[in-house]
Amino acid sequence: MKKSIAGRKRAFPYLASFLLPFIICILVCIGNGVYPFGENCILHIDMYHQYCPFFTEFLNKLQQGGSLQYSWNLGLGSDFVSLYAYYLASPLNFLILLCPKKFVIEFMTLLILVKIALCGLTFFLFLKYHFHFVGKDGKMHKNQVLPALVFSTAYALSGFVAAYSWDIMWMDCVALFPLIMVGLEKLVREGKPVLYFVTLAVCIFSNYYISIMICIFLVFTFVLLFFTQKQGKGKAFFCFSWYSLLAGGCSLVLLLPEIAALTASGAAGQSFPKKIEWYFNMIGELGRSAAVTTCYTGGDHWPNLYAGSFSLILVFLYLCNRRISWKEKLPRFFMVLFFLVSFSNKQLDYIWHGMHFPQDLPGRQSFLYIFLLLTMGFATVRKWKGILPRHIIIAVLSGMVLMFAAQTYGDENVTEPAAILVTVLFIAVYGILMLLLKIVNRKRRFLVAEFLLFFAVLELGINFAVTGLPVTDRVSYVAKQDAYEKLLAQAKEDNGEEGFYRVEDSGRKTKNDDSLYGYPSATIFSSLMNLDVSHLFQSLYMEGGLNFYCYNGATPLSSSLFSVKYMLSDNPLEESRVRTLIGEEDGNYLYRNRYCLPLGFMMEEDAIKEWGASQADRIGSLNDLAKRLGADGDMLYPAACVQTPGMGDTTIDISEDGYYYASYVECNSDTLTITRSDGWKKQFGKTTHRYLLELGECREGTQIHITNSNGENVEYRVYRVNFNAVQTAYKTLEKQTMELTSMTDRSVQGKIKVERAGRLILSIPADDGWKLYVDGKETEINPFEDALIGVHLTEGEHEIRLLYTSPGLYAGVAGSVVSLLLFAVSMLIRLGRSKKIKQMP
């Protein structure tokens, strides 16, 4: 019984460090109405648009036994190993197998809350080891445990976590980092490498990107430990280098495929900035340390630095503390300054982010700064006797002045004046309580200390409730799930044995709806997307960018090139010369496109060579493509219609029956809504990406209103479709197509009878992992516009086979196995040496 009670007492600090942030997160979820406590969910930014769809696709592959090397439900097709490495590599993600598909959102929510709580636990473990909590009696004492629980909660609920906890793949690294630091200290001081190797290896495996920042910090920390080490410096240097290298090597199985994918994506091509540039002044930057200030995720580089208002006092008290040597203070203080410079300097920002400028979500290394700040703060608390009352007064006044200065020199749109005021009030309360700790008697001192700790946790909870776990409507996100499942089944039945097809959604919720609902499409939003495909889309006046390409702007001809056979829509008026209604379910409709080519089709080499693909003159590019395919005249030509631009609303009067598209001359609005007088309505998002706007089938006399969200006066170029040109071009391509005989996640097989030599084009991205075989012989791929797989075929019958292997996968597996074996050998050598030492007389 006594042993059981003692065991519970020993476990209490660890449970408390986990449960304290976890319970606060649960309370925030209840307050925000997160399902099942309401109708909201914490899907936010990329978690909404990318992570939930990718988790769903991951679950589908695990349940159905699909290949983890490639997926057809990621745009036109995409490597899955690199996507797994970038978004899904956390070992905890395999627990999704226990989750029903309709609760993927809740699985991700719980995973985030657990990872936040683990941050608290691991930071507590770091404090315990770093500051030697265990006394001579083998116990942790209350005067150390309670403050440590506050600081561990501060790490778990920091400004970084409040801003980026939805970035679920980063949170593994944030939670592992304190254990890596314990491992580093054990490695250098005790010569024990196991914890360092294992935690760093798992960290790099889970997310290479955040691990880059951790590795940079580890180098700085090792240098500090190296010069404070009295003996064994050479051994420490060798062990740090060797086990760091092995930890990285264990992740080569994911790193090499990821590097291969990134070199073909929009992330490639950035160079080191030559001109020194500063984003903002450091005084204004410190305003981001304020409590209840809105988390910043925009493109102006402001970091999220909140670590509790008490940390602003403690950093000054750290410098004033008479029991902490300047040899210890100065390196850490200069490191804090270095971090602050790094957040505001363009060159250092580029280095910290892995030789890359992030698109929004700035200051991704700020959790390291917060870790450092809290470690210094806790050192101050442990050496509390080194603080005098005047030091507290100086620190409080300094913190207040710093906040008011940040308001003066900062940006009030980024750090609100109200947040500065609230922080100053918190600082004042902390100052009073800290002074009381110095002047009241011993009995009351414990009460003041406990209230101070309670107040600190209360502040952290209030801040997280205001800034953390933002929500969106869950009902609208999952509303179409059941209906789409039935409509997709209808599409499969309608297609019969005709082979591969893609599906698109005119009212898509995300650019990864294909992964979310489980169908192949022509749209993707991913940092690993093939950039050449995006360029091709833009040449066809479709939507494209650095990390996405999208079906928006597709004409009947361009749609047919990508095998888009079916359209999902919530609009009952989409039936036209372009598509036919074939199904309806709960206010959602399924249409079959009348122009759809198989996965592979032939095109003459001269036509490919002469096509003037252009992102500058996209209408000209489309018309030229149709002409190269035999069309007589333009496919899209300027329409004769009356246009009346107005503030926020442009009216177009159609003077002739036809199918119409439009493009704006100049517009800064990101949302355009098109309403026809016959009741047809459609909203287009991200219209600053510039793509063709589909006006649809219009009758003479139809009036169209195009409204924009900015109230701008916008003029449009209106085009009418020449269906004779469309049909001629389509029939040219339809004459010679590949018959699909077999298709899996990693392979495509088909046969084709070529009557006129040319290039077989498959609407599959020409990624490096594909090998192509013609009549059993491996043949070099000749990409169409550097984007799609292509191969020249002579006249006659041919068998085509494609096989995909993730680039660098086998080399990565070999590298990971070798690294693990070298680690095992290193451990055996170390074990042998330790035995010899023990046997020595």
Side-chain angles (χ1 to χ4, degrees):
M1 183 69 177
K2 288 182 178 179
K3 288 184 178 180
S4 176
I5 294 172
R8 286 198 292 269
K9 285 184 177 179
R10 285 195 296 269
F12 168 76
Y14 308 111
L15 286 173
S17 63
F18 179 90
L19 291 175
L20 197 53
F22 186 78
I23 291 170
I24 290 172
C25 288
I26 292 292
L27 292 174
V28 172
C29 286
I30 293 171
N32 289 346
V34 174
Y35 184 85
F37 308 109
E39 299 298 335
N40 293 324
C41 62
I42 65 169
L43 296 185
H44 186 59
I45 309 181
D46 289 349
M47 189 181 178
Y48 183 101
H49 293 280
Q50 292 183 303
Y51 311 157
C52 187
F54 295 160
F55 266 79
T56 305
E57 175 65 6
F58 182 51
L59 175 61
N60 287 336
K61 281 188 170 291
L62 292 177
Q63 289 180 336
Q64 298 168 14
S67 171
L68 293 178
Q69 290 197 50
Y70 199 82
S71 174
W72 297 106
N73 295 347
L74 293 165
L76 298 178
S78 182
D79 180 85
F80 197 80
V81 173
S82 57
L83 183 132
Y84 173 83
Y86 199 89
Y87 295 102
L88 301 166
S90 169
L92 295 175
N93 290 345
F94 280 93
L95 293 173
I96 200 171
L97 271 170
L98 305 175
C99 172
K101 186 176 179 180
K102 63 179 180 179
F103 292 124
V104 168
I105 296 174
E106 284 61 55
F107 171 80
M108 296 174 70
T109 300
L110 182 59
L111 208 56
I112 287 172
L113 300 192
V114 168
K115 289 180 182 181
I116 292 174
L118 285 172
C119 289
L121 174 60
T122 58
F123 192 78
F124 180 86
L125 291 170
F126 166 77
L127 293 177
K128 176 196 167 189
Y129 177 82
H130 183 75
F131 291 104
H132 311 291
F133 280 10
V134 180
K136 293 180 180 179
D137 58 359
K139 298 178 181 179
M140 290 187 287
H141 295 285
K142 185 177 179 181
N143 62 344
Q144 295 177 324
V145 169
L146 293 182
L149 290 176
V150 173
F151 280 82
S152 62
T153 302
Y155 181 72
L157 304 181
S158 68
F160 176 92
V161 173
Y164 299 138
S165 61
W166 54 267
D167 236 315
I168 189 169
M169 69 273 195
W170 294 355
M171 290 302 297
D172 293 73
C173 298
V174 181
L176 282 167
F177 174 63
L179 293 182
I180 296 171
M181 291 297 291
V182 173
L184 179 61
E185 292 189 16
K186 280 181 173 286
L187 176 71
V188 175
R189 292 174 178 169
E190 303 173 31
K192 296 178 179 178
V194 175
L195 181 62
Y196 177 73
F197 168 80
V198 171
T199 52
L200 183 59
V202 173
C203 183
I204 297 172
F205 186 90
S206 297
N207 190 263
Y208 90 98
Y209 182 64
I210 297 298
S211 296
I212 291 173
M213 303 165 203
I214 288 175
C215 288
I216 293 172
F217 188 88
L218 289 174
V219 171
F220 289 136
T221 305
F222 173 76
V223 170
L224 181 61
L225 291 172
F226 180 82
F227 285 108
T228 56
Q229 186 83 350
K230 293 182 179 179
Q231 56 185 1
K233 291 185 177 182
K235 180 183 176 183
F237 178 79
F238 172 79
C239 288
F240 174 71
S241 304
W242 177 242
Y243 290 108
S244 297
L245 185 66
L246 292 183
C250 287
S251 297
L252 286 173
V253 62
L254 296 183
L255 290 177
L256 293 185
E258 190 165 13
I259 291 168
L262 286 170
T263 55
S265 73
Q270 293 186 359
S271 58
F272 189 83
K274 296 178 181 178
K275 185 179 178 181
I276 295 177
E277 184 178 328
W278 299 88
Y279 300 138
F280 34 70
N281 68 75
M282 287 171 56
I283 300 296
E285 173 190 342
L286 284 167
R288 298 297 304 154
S289 304
V292 301
T293 188
T294 304
C295 293
Y296 187 80
T297 56
D300 289 334
H301 308 284
W302 293 97
N304 297 284
L305 304 179
Y306 174 78
S309 300
F310 53 83
S311 66
L312 297 172
I313 305 173
L314 292 176
V315 72
F316 288 107
L317 291 178
Y318 181 79
L319 293 174
C320 296
N321 198 307
R322 297 176 301 165
R323 292 200 171 191
I324 302 175
S325 69
W326 282 102
K327 186 184 282 189
E328 181 181 340
K329 291 177 187 176
L330 285 178
R332 289 163 178 81
F333 182 71
F334 282 122
M335 202 161 177
V336 167
L337 292 178
F338 177 72
F339 265 109
L340 294 174
V341 171
S342 298
F343 293 128
S344 60
N345 179 264
K346 188 173 185 178
Q347 282 73 19
L348 292 175
D349 184 50
Y350 181 83
I351 294 170
W352 273 108
H353 289 97
M355 302 299 175
H356 173 74
F357 289 118
Q359 290 189 333
D360 297 332
L361 315 185
R364 302 178 186 188
Q365 76 276 29
S366 63
F367 74 96
L368 300 171
Y369 164 85
I370 289 165
F371 175 91
L372 178 62
L373 205 66
L374 290 172
T375 304
M376 292 165 62
F378 191 79
T380 305
V381 172
R382 287 199 80 235
K383 303 286 186 178
W384 187 248
K385 290 182 179 180
I387 299 297
L388 299 175
R390 69 170 181 269
H391 296 154
I392 297 172
I393 295 171
I394 291 170
V396 168
L397 292 177
S398 298
M400 290 179 173
V401 169
L402 194 65
M403 285 294 99
F404 286 127
Q407 182 181 358
T408 302
Y409 294 102
D411 185 344
E412 65 178 22
N413 294 318
V414 174
T415 304
E416 303 88 341
I420 297 292
L421 181 60
V422 169
T423 306
V424 168
L425 291 174
F426 275 128
I427 290 173
V429 174
Y430 286 123
I432 293 169
L433 292 172
M434 287 178 182
L435 283 171
L436 287 174
L437 280 176
K438 286 294 178 181
I439 62 177
V440 299
N441 60 41
R442 182 180 178 86
K443 185 177 180 180
R444 292 182 178 178
R445 193 181 305 154
F446 286 112
L447 293 175
V448 173
E450 289 179 354
F451 180 77
L452 175 56
L453 297 175
F454 168 78
F455 185 77
V457 173
L458 181 64
E459 181 213 335
L460 294 169
I462 291 171
N463 178 78
F464 201 72
V466 173
T467 63
L469 303 179
V471 297
T472 189
D473 181 41
R474 182 185 185 275
V475 174
S476 62
Y477 196 86
V478 302
K480 296 181 178 181
Q481 209 163 47
D482 292 337
Y484 274 20
E485 188 174 331
K486 293 175 182 177
L487 290 175
L488 291 169
Q490 288 184 44
K492 185 176 181 179
E493 184 180 351
D494 179 77
N495 185 64
E497 301 297 324
E498 291 187 22
F500 179 79
Y501 61 89
R502 293 188 173 98
V503 180
E504 273 296 338
D505 185 352
S506 65
R508 69 182 63 82
K509 187 160 290 294
T510 76
K511 282 186 169 64
N512 292 304
D513 278 11
D514 48 3
S515 297
L516 188 63
Y517 298 115
Y519 57 78
S521 80
T523 298
I524 189 174
F525 168 36
S526 166
S527 298
L528 304 165
M529 169 217 75
N530 188 313
L531 189 60
D532 289 320
V533 177
S534 178
H535 291 160
L536 174 62
F537 271 51
Q538 290 174 69
S539 297
L540 297 170
Y541 222 151
M542 297 166 71
E543 187 181 1
L546 285 175
N547 55 9
F548 62 89
Y549 56 81
C550 181
Y551 185 77
N552 285 340
T555 62
L557 179 59
S558 53
S559 175
S560 71
L561 298 177
F562 301 113
S563 304
V564 179
K565 187 172 183 178
Y566 297 100
M567 286 290 298
L568 296 165
S569 177
D570 56 5
N571 191 338
L573 303 176
E574 289 281 4
E575 193 161 28
S576 64
R577 279 180 283 179
V578 172
R579 55 186 67 99
T580 304
L581 178 66
I582 62 169
E584 186 269 338
E585 188 68 41
D586 196 21
N588 297 282
Y589 303 88
L590 178 69
Y591 296 90
R592 186 197 309 115
N593 286 333
R594 299 186 181 186
Y595 297 94
C596 177
L597 292 166
L599 189 62
F601 53 87
M602 293 292 295
M603 192 170 173
E604 291 185 12
E605 293 288 357
D606 287 343
I608 295 172
K609 185 178 180 179
E610 293 169 5
W611 178 38
S614 169
Q615 295 179 44
D617 178 16
R618 302 181 190 186
I619 292 295
S621 179
L622 280 166
N623 286 332
D624 189 55
L625 176 62
K627 289 176 182 176
R628 300 301 170 194
L629 295 173
D632 184 14
D634 290 340
M635 182 178 70
L636 295 171
Y637 58 89
C641 57
V642 179
Q643 188 172 160
T644 311
M647 297 301 292
D649 186 359
T650 300
T651 303
I652 300 171
D653 292 301
I654 301 298
S655 58
E656 185 179 1
D657 291 357
Y659 205 91
Y660 290 84
Y661 289 86
S663 66
Y664 57 77
V665 177
E666 186 175 345
C667 180
N668 295 313
S669 175
D670 223 20
T671 303
L672 297 174
T673 302
I674 299 174
T675 307
R676 293 197 318 235
S677 55
D678 61 2
W680 184 91
K681 186 176 182 178
K682 192 171 185 178
Q683 186 177 84
F684 293 91
K686 299 295 182 183
T687 46
T688 51
H689 294 162
R690 274 198 175 274
Y691 54 85
L692 269 180
L693 306 173
E694 185 180 24
L695 304 182
E697 190 87 59
C698 300
R699 301 294 181 187
E700 180 183 352
T702 299
Q703 190 174 79
I704 299 172
H705 287 273
I706 306 180
T707 57
N708 65 79
S709 55
N710 288 357
E712 298 176 61
N713 193 324
V714 182
E715 181 183 350
Y716 294 88
R717 299 185 181 97
V718 183
Y719 303 95
R720 185 170 179 267
V721 178
N722 176 359
F723 275 97
N724 289 331
V726 172
Q727 290 170 3
T728 301
Y730 178 76
K731 287 179 180 178
T732 299
L733 297 173
E734 194 183 30
K735 285 178 183 177
Q736 300 184 96
T737 59
M738 185 183 78
E739 179 187 346
L740 195 65
T741 56
S742 173
M743 189 172 186
T744 68
D745 283 349
R746 291 183 55 212
S747 66
V748 176
Q749 293 186 53
K751 57 185 180 180
I752 185 171
K753 183 177 181 179
V754 179
E755 297 178 354
R756 189 168 180 176
R759 193 182 309 181
L760 173 66
I761 298 170
L762 297 104
S763 56
I764 302 171
D767 295 325
D768 288 340
W770 285 108
K771 284 188 176 180
L772 187 147
Y773 300 85
V774 178
D775 301 325
K777 295 181 181 179
E778 185 175 348
T779 307
E780 184 179 353
I781 292 173
N782 185 9
F784 173 68
E785 293 297 312
D786 296 324
L788 304 179
I789 291 176
V791 62
H792 183 82
L793 296 180
T794 56
E795 294 178 4
E797 294 186 1
H798 298 283
E799 291 187 356
I800 308 298
R801 182 170 175 258
L802 281 164
L803 181 64
Y804 187 82
T805 303
S806 293
L809 179 63
Y810 294 149
V813 169
S816 295
V817 170
V818 168
S819 297
L820 285 169
L821 289 174
L822 288 174
F823 174 72
V825 170
S826 300
M827 290 298 97
L828 289 173
I829 293 172
R830 187 173 179 276
L831 182 63
R833 286 179 176 175
S834 65
K835 285 183 178 180
K836 284 184 180 180
I837 293 172
K838 287 180 180 179
Q839 292 171 0
M840 290 177 66

